[in-house]
């Protein structure tokens, strides 16, 4: 597939020169991450994903291990960890560009990293520094050894899908996963469904409730090793698309979790909203990546069909798809910039990178920043920096990005299929795969309907 | 045929669905010649492979409503099987129209049934040559549109003969019960060759049958989405009580009646068909597929709930037969030409 259109170049974003002036650290992250992701895509994904997609159709337990195993070398699993914990310290803008770049070739692989980021985001949002420090060390140590220590967030339940994605809805959700205090830790019983990375994660971040009748007050999260006694992968889903992102059931039957691996959230609602404020925007970016993939694949097809390429209706459809790409980029970038400027990244990544580098990563730094005292300090700083209203604005921005971009992705893929006509069913072109992949972006992280309700809820509050 | 007979047809097809199609539903998402043959035999046993043809040609003459009823039921039960039947019925109707004896076994077309008009896809000079991309459900003979010099000809080609090559593989999208690929004719000798018949009602018949099939798909999507929404709880109430969900399933439910009426109107129209009804229906059904999945959320996205296949089937039907975008432009062009006259 040809790349000379330069559709993915960061410098094509009008915001690029402004970022270089006003936020040079963010601009530098973007200039680093795009070529790094592009190199990964060229070496490990391009030319393979269509074949893998077909393999996964026949064997839904298929995992693209070569793509996952190549990720540590690129530091993809520690991108968002604060530098003080050994991570890349990348913020929401770079995270979005990363999601777009990978999704332009395969949305499923982008979701493998996205689901890891989602689990990490919930832990970061809890601001439980001892766990963040320990997990951060484990992820970066594994990465240095070339091992992919992937996480999954096991949050959705059979009778509670989009309900668990929002504080208000969570109050009325029919959740069943529960935990109970025992000597030295907790006992966990949970049944989770549609868990991305369920069969490839080394650790599951499992949410459960002290009292399922009072979910918002009693929600907690637990770090559960994939091989913990009582924890198993249940059904592996057979999906319409995004087949390279395995989705499974996660079943926890009386699993013991030591005290230090439990995250008892003082304010679960705020924790959920904080997570969504940084993870829904990248779903928009992923959708923009799908649109880019649609455009690149269609242009590659038209290279071979010169006569068709000259038809006016084809030109009009291409213009629509390009406009969809530009629109979706503008919308997700707005959300990412808002999260960068006002979100949790300020509180967790607040120390400039050069200072972090100067301090280095030593045991005593881990001890200080990983102390409960540091958690309390960071949490109060975050609550001071980002009040309830600001947080809701951030979630609304992120939801808008998710809704607008995913709707545009589905529409663009359908338009491209019309251009390809009879050849749309030919797996070599991969355009129909983009439609199948795009559909899920309208569903996960809360359906677009639920997201619309959240967006409008903030609006009506402002109107009153 | 009376409404009672229509009901009897619908009942037999529902029985077929329950007894024969439902148990192999999963397997029907892969090309499988043996499975297809056994399902086809069921259609033959029910007399469905000769419907709409004159009795003197061994056909079973049905009224338009009964024809629509058959394809609507098949659209709900197994769209890919319905497509194969439409291909066979259109091919047979074309032969009857051209005065060519109907061949034994299953027929198919080397073009979309909605385009049952002269086309220059193959050259005829003693033998046939050319290539076209089609989906073929293991037919025994194929109707091929050809041109000898400038004259449009209708040819019938037996599939198993020298000079006929079909390299098929599964569609990566929908209608995966039979393979798609390139049919290449190089020196193939036609079994029959006649002048392309006068524009009859064959294209209108195909348009009506495809619309009826799409109506059945919409109907099935509505049933599945609504029964899911009826039973599930979310956001403090049943899913069916959410305006957001009603806004999704309402248009799917609404699609049934106008599509049924459109299919019937197309099957009874006097004009040669232009594929407009199918193009209109395809847009509605593709959106219905997307909305049904959306209604069911993560479950709708999973193959086990059976809805996603209708979206894929509608997409492939749209891109390989209906070509809605091109057809819309063609319809406008024809209308302008008419105005000019």
């Amino acid at each position: 597939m040809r790349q000379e259109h330069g559709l993915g170049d960061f410098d094509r974003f009008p915001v690029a020169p402004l970022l270089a002036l006003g936020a040079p650290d963010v601009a530098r992250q973007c200039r680093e991450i795009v070529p790094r992701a592009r190199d990964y895509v060229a070496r490990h994904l391009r030319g393979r994903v269509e074949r893998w997609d077909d393999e996964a159709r026949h064997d839904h337990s298929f995992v693209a291990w070569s793509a996952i195993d190549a990720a540590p070398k690129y530091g993809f699993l520690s991108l968002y960890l604060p530098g003080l914990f050994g991570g890349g310290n990348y913020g929401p803008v770079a995270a979005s560009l990363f999601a777009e770049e990978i999704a332009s070739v395969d949305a499923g692989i982008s979701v493998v990293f996205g689901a890891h980021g989602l689990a990490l985001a919930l832990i970061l949002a809890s601001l439980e520094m001892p766990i963040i420090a320990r997990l951060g060390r484990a992820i970066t140590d594994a990465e240095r050894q070339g091992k992919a220590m992937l996480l999954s967030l096991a949050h959705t339940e059979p009778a509670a899908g989009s309900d668990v994605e929002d504080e208000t809805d969570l109050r009325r959700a029919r959740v069943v996963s529960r935990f109970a205090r025992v000597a030295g830790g907790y006992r966990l019983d949970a049944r989770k469904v549609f868990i991305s990375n369920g069969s490839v994660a080394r650790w599951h971040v499992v949410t459960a409730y002290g009292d399922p009748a009072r979910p918002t007050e009693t929600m907690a999260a637990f770090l559960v090793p994939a091989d913990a006694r009582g924890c198993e992968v249940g059904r592996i889903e057979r999906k319409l698309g995004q087949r390279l992102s395995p989705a499974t059931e996660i079943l926890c039957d009386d699993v013991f979790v030591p005290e230090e691996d439990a995250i008892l959230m003082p304010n679960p609602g705020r924790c959920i909203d904080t997570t969504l404020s940084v993870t829904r925007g990248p779903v928009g970016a992923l959708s923009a990546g799908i649109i880019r993939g649609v455009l690149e694949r269609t242009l590659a097809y038209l290279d071979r069909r010169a006569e068709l390429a000259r038809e006016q209706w084809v030109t009009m459809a291409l213009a629509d798809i390009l406009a969809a790409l530009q629109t979706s980029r503008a919308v997700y970038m707005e959300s990412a910039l808002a999260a960068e400027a006002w979100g949790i990244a300020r509180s967790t990544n607040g120390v400039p990178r050069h200072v972090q580098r100067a301090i280095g990563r030593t045991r005593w730094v881990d001890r200080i920043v990983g102390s409960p005292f540091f958690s309390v300090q960071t949490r109060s700083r975050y609550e001071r920096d980002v009040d309830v209203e600001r947080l809701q604005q951030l979630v609304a921005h992120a939801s808008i990005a998710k809704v607008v971009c995913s709707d545009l992705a589905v529409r663009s893929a359908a338009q491209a299929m019309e251009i390809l006509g009879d050849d749309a069913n030919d797996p070599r072109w991969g355009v129909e795969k983009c439609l199948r992949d795009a559909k899920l972006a309208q569903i996960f992280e809360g359906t677009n309907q639920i997201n619309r309700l959240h967006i409008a809820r903030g609006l009506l509050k402002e109107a009153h | 045929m009376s409404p009672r007979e229509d009901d009897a047809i619908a009942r037999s097809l529902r029985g077929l669905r329950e007894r024969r199609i439902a148990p192999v539903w999963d397997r029907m998402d892969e090309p499988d010649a043996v499975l297809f043959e056994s399902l086809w035999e069921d259609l033959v046993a029910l007399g469905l492979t000769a419907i709409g043809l004159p009795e003197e040609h061994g056909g079973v003459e049905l009224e338009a409503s009964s024809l629509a009823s058959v394809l609507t039921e098949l659209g709900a039960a197994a769209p890919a099987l319905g497509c194969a039947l439409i291909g066979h019925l259109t091919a047979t109707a074309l032969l009857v129209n051209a005065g060519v004896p109907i061949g034994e076994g299953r027929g198919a077309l080397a073009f979309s049934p909605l385009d049952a008009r002269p086309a220059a896809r193959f050259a005829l000079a003693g033998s046939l040559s050319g290539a076209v991309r089609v989906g073929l459900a293991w037919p025994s003979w194929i109707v091929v549109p050809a041109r000898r010099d400038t004259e449009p000809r209708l040819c019938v080609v037996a599939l198993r003969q020298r000079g006929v090559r079909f390299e098929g593989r599964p569609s990566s999208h929908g209608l995966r019960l039979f393979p798609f690929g390139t049919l290449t004719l190089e020196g193939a000798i036609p079994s029959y060759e006649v002048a392309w018949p006068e524009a009859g009602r064959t294209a209108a018949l195909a348009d009506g049958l495809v619309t009826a099939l799409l109506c059945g798909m919409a109907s099935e999507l509505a049933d599945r989405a609504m029964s899911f929404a009826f039973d599930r709880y979310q956001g403090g109430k049943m899913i069916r009580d959410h305006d957001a969900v009603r806004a999704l399933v309402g248009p799917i439910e609404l699609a049934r009646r106008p599509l049924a009426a459109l299919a019937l109107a197309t099957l009874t129209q006097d004009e040669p068909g232009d594929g407009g009804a199918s193009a209109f229906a395809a847009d509605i059904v593709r959106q219905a597929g997307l909305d049904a999945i959306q209604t069911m959320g993560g479950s709708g996205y999973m193959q086990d709930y059976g809805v996603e296949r209708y979206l894929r089937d509608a997409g492939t039907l749209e891109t390989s037969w209906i070509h809605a975008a091109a057809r819309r432009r063609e319809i406008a062009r024809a209308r302008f030409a008419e105005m000019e006259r």
Side-chain angles (χ1 to χ4, degrees), chain A residues 53-54 57-58 157-163 169 172-174 194 235 237-243 247 311 313 410 414-415 417-418 420-428 432-433 435-440 442-443 447-450 453, chain B residues 26 29-30 132-133 169-174 176 180 232-236 238 242 244-245 248 283 286 289-291 293-294 297-305 308-309 311-312 315-321 323-326 328-329:
Chain A
D53 177 74
D54 195 48
R57 178 203 291 276
H58 294 100
E157 304 203 358
S162 292
D163 274 353
D169 294 338
R172 297 169 297 201
R174 289 183 175 172
F194 306 151
R235 192 174 65 171
E237 301 291 352
R238 301 186 303 154
K239 299 195 292 182
L240 168 63
Q242 297 198 7
R243 296 197 182 110
E311 294 218 21
W313 72 273
V410 169
Q415 274 183 299
M417 281 183 70
E418 281 193 347
L420 266 74
D422 286 328
D423 289 323
N425 300 316
D426 187 334
R428 284 173 301 179
E432 62 80 36
K433 174 179 172 299
L435 177 70
R436 291 188 281 108
D437 289 352
K439 184 66 200 133
L440 189 53
Q442 290 181 316
I443 296 171
T447 63
N448 280 8
Q449 282 63 32
I450 290 285
L453 294 177
Chain B
D26 254 2
D29 207 21
E30 287 299 322
V132 70
R133 194 172 159 75
R169 56 178 170 182
S171 143
S172 56
H173 206 65
R176 287 173 53 85
F180 282 77
R232 301 275 293 204
Y233 170 95
Q234 192 177 313
M238 301 306 286
H242 286 273
V245 169
L248 284 171
D283 278 352
R286 186 168 59 183
L290 290 167
D291 289 345
I293 291 175
Q294 195 69 19
S299 303
Y301 197 73
M302 306 307 165
Q303 289 178 17
D304 295 347
Y305 286 81
E308 56 84 40
R309 194 186 297 178
L311 172 71
R312 287 189 284 117
T316 296
L317 191 54
E318 201 278 327
T319 53
S320 66
W321 271 8
H323 307 118
R328 279 191 290 268
R329 288 193 309 282

Side-chain angles (χ1 to χ4, degrees), chain A residues 38-297:
Chain A
R38 199 169 284 181
D39 182 72
Y40 168 78
V41 156
R43 288 173 192 270
H44 303 285
L45 302 185
R46 205 176 285 286
R48 302 177 192 193
V49 291
E50 283 80 11
R51 183 166 40 84
W52 289 342
D53 177 74
D54 195 48
E55 275 184 55
R57 178 203 291 276
H58 294 100
D59 172 12
H60 52 282
S61 63
F62 174 86
V63 174
W65 281 115
S66 69
I68 291 174
D69 289 341
K73 197 173 71 180
Y74 292 86
F76 288 164
L77 304 185
S78 61
L79 283 181
Y80 319 125
L81 276 169
L84 284 172
F85 302 121
N89 213 29
Y90 284 78
V93 174
S96 297
L97 290 176
F98 173 68
E100 180 194 311
E101 198 61 42
I102 308 288
S104 71
V105 174
D106 190 82
I109 294 291
S110 190
V111 168
V112 168
F113 301 127
H116 172 81
L118 175 67
L120 210 48
L122 184 81
I123 290 173
L124 289 171
S126 75
L127 294 170
E128 280 292 338
M129 293 305 175
I131 287 194
I132 297 172
R134 242 174 340 103
L135 193 64
R137 192 183 309 130
I139 290 173
T140 51
D141 284 352
E143 218 167 40
R144 265 196 296 278
Q145 293 163 27
K147 292 180 185 151
M149 206 192 100
L150 279 169
L151 306 179
S152 81
L153 176 62
H155 189 39
T156 303
E157 304 203 358
S162 292
D163 274 353
V164 295
E165 303 271 353
D166 174 72
E167 186 185 1
T168 315
D169 294 338
L170 182 60
R171 264 187 220 127
R172 297 169 297 201
R174 289 183 175 172
V175 290
V176 292
S177 299
R178 58 168 66 232
F179 68 88
R181 190 94 172 84
V182 294
Y186 298 86
R187 287 276 169 195
L188 181 61
D189 283 287
R191 183 172 172 215
K192 303 289 184 174
V193 293
F194 306 151
I195 305 307
S196 298
N197 286 357
S199 58
V200 295
R202 297 266 292 278
W203 290 79
H204 305 299
V205 178
V206 182
T207 54
Y209 308 87
D211 177 2
R214 295 186 306 123
T216 31
E217 294 89 350
T218 62
M219 182 177 131
F222 301 87
L223 263 181
V224 178
D227 57 0
R229 183 192 294 256
C231 174
E232 61 180 70
V233 174
R235 192 174 65 171
I236 302 175
E237 301 291 352
R238 301 186 303 154
K239 299 195 292 182
L240 168 63
Q242 297 198 7
R243 296 197 182 110
L244 303 187
S245 153
T248 71
E249 274 185 320
I250 295 295
L251 308 168
C252 293
D253 179 16
D254 199 26
V255 171
F256 175 74
V257 182
E259 197 147 7
E260 62 269 24
D261 287 343
I263 303 170
L264 302 174
M265 300 165 186
N267 186 346
R270 187 174 170 82
C271 195
I272 291 175
D273 281 351
T274 301
T275 305
L276 295 177
S277 72
V278 292
T279 57
R280 275 187 182 162
V283 176
L286 171 139
S287 305
I290 295 174
I291 301 174
R292 203 176 108 202
V294 165
L295 193 52
E296 287 173 347
R297 288 169 159 96

Side-chain angles (χ1 to χ4, degrees), chain B residues 28-238:
Chain B
M28 290 175 73
D29 207 21
E30 287 299 322
D32 184 333
V34 176
L35 174 65
F36 182 84
E37 206 56 56
S38 79
L39 291 170
W40 187 262
E41 276 165 24
D42 290 325
L43 297 186
V44 173
L46 286 172
L48 298 181
T49 53
I51 53 172
L53 294 176
E55 278 173 13
E56 64 265 31
H57 291 276
V60 181
E61 286 190 62
L62 289 185
E63 283 184 11
S65 65
S66 306
L67 270 177
S69 173
V70 169
L71 268 301
T72 302
E73 291 295 334
L74 268 180
L81 192 59
C83 282
L85 181 62
I86 292 173
H88 171 78
L89 292 176
T90 313
T92 322
L94 259 177
L95 296 194
V96 169
N97 201 15
V100 176
I102 300 169
E104 289 288 308
R106 191 164 46 249
L109 303 162
F111 53 95
S112 159
L114 302 172
D115 295 322
R117 62 174 75 97
R121 298 225 175 80
F122 293 88
L124 180 62
S127 63
L128 282 159
S129 59
V132 70
R133 194 172 159 75
V134 286
L136 290 179
W138 304 279
S140 3
W141 50 270
I142 308 170
V143 174
V144 172
R147 205 167 279 269
R148 183 192 287 280
D149 300 324
T150 56
E151 193 195 347
R153 308 289 288 174
L154 182 151
C155 301
V156 180
V157 172
L159 198 68
R160 284 189 188 159
Q161 66 160 298
R162 191 186 299 227
V164 178
R165 200 170 66 245
F166 178 64
E167 288 164 0
R169 56 178 170 182
S171 143
S172 56
H173 206 65
L175 301 180
R176 287 173 53 85
L177 179 59
F178 49 82
F180 282 77
T182 303
L183 172 72
T184 308
L185 303 183
E186 280 170 352
I189 308 295
S191 330
Y192 284 94
E193 181 216 327
V194 291
W196 193 275
E198 288 289 305
R201 289 200 56 261
T202 312
L205 171 76
D207 196 13
L209 296 179
V210 172
T211 307
L213 183 89
L214 285 162
C215 174
M217 292 167 75
S219 191
E220 184 65 16
L221 286 166
D223 285 347
R224 290 188 184 221
M226 294 197 88
S227 58
F228 183 91
F230 191 80
D231 286 341
R232 301 275 293 204
Y233 170 95
Q234 192 177 313
K237 47 190 175 184
M238 301 306 286

Side-chain angles (χ1 to χ4, degrees), chain A residues 353-380:
Chain A
R353 293 178 95 195
H354 65 277
V355 177
Q356 294 183 19
R357 269 198 297 271
I359 294 172
R361 217 175 128 252
T362 59
R363 292 276 161 196
W364 66 264
V365 171
D366 278 1
R367 270 205 292 277
I368 292 171
V369 296
S371 68
F373 171 75
F374 204 74
S375 298
V376 174
Q377 288 296 308
T378 313
R379 208 172 279 140
S380 72

Side-chain angles (χ1 to χ4, degrees), chain B residues 320-339:
Chain B
S320 66
W321 271 8
I322 299 171
H323 307 118
R327 209 164 288 280
R328 279 191 290 268
R329 288 193 309 282
E330 186 52 45
I331 287 168
R333 196 178 297 148
R335 180 78 182 114
F336 283 133
E338 212 175 279
M339 287 165 74

Side-chain angles (χ1 to χ4, degrees), chain B residues 262-278:
Chain B
L262 184 62
L264 197 57
T266 310
L267 285 168
T268 50
Q269 74 184 33
D270 290 330
E271 303 85 45
D274 56 11
S278 305

